[in-house]
Amino acid sequence: QERLVESGGGSVQTGGTLRLSCAVSGKVYNPYCIGWFRRAADKQREGVAAIDRYGTTTYADSVKGRFTISQDNAKNTLFLQMNSLKPEDTAMYYCAAAAGFDQCPIYGDRWLDDRFGYWGQGTQVTVSS
């Protein structure tokens, strides 16, 4: 059974940094896209960053230049390095994978999150001003 388990969330002040990790266990059908989503209180879930099998990355405009997505060589762990955090980054962050995609199901600012069939339980990030 495939499992995605996030860790690394916490509370920081504005301008701080956090590094989220997502441990992938089991077998996610290849090829696949894997990435991070977030949901803030009273807001819809939104895509944050994703990476496809070729290593091509996609970022939401709101995090470009501040967040970096990466994987370890074995692709067992996904990371999200978050720098220059802002209060508006406060949210529950989820790791998710979309199986069977050469490229991530993201078209412009449209993230087809219903294509992501594997989800973690989330890790909370809180940024205070």
Side-chain angles (χ1 to χ4, degrees):
Q1 185 69 26
E2 301 76 11
R3 287 189 67 205
L4 305 176
V5 180
E6 304 94 336
S7 61
S11 297
V12 297
Q13 292 188 323
T14 297
T17 64
L18 282 172
R19 190 189 196 204
L20 305 184
S21 298
C22 173
V24 181
S25 61
K27 181 174 176 62
V28 180
Y29 176 75
N30 281 315
Y32 67 90
C33 163
I34 191 165
W36 295 93
F37 289 76
R38 68 185 181 187
R39 177 176 279 162
D42 300 326
K43 291 188 177 180
Q44 288 188 328
R45 184 170 62 195
E46 62 176 355
V48 176
I51 186 167
D52 68 16
R53 63 179 302 198
Y54 301 109
T56 302
T57 56
T58 303
Y59 295 94
D61 287 343
S62 60
V63 306
K64 282 180 181 175
R66 300 187 298 122
F67 291 10
T68 303
I69 189 171
S70 62
Q71 286 179 291
D72 67 347
N73 288 339
K75 297 187 177 180
N76 291 329
T77 308
L78 181 73
F79 303 100
L80 185 67
Q81 178 67 41
M82 304 187 296
N83 299 331
S84 302
L85 282 161
K86 305 175 181 180
E88 51 263 44
D89 295 318
T90 295
M92 184 71 79
Y93 283 71
Y94 299 90
C95 175
F101 288 89
D102 272 337
Q103 297 174 311
C104 291
I106 302 167
Y107 306 97
D109 61 354
R110 294 182 60 228
W111 293 60
L112 303 184
D113 52 355
D114 61 340
R115 303 295 196 268
F116 289 76
Y118 304 97
W119 291 84
Q121 83 290 348
T123 186
Q124 178 68 37
V125 171
T126 302
V127 185
S128 59
S129 57

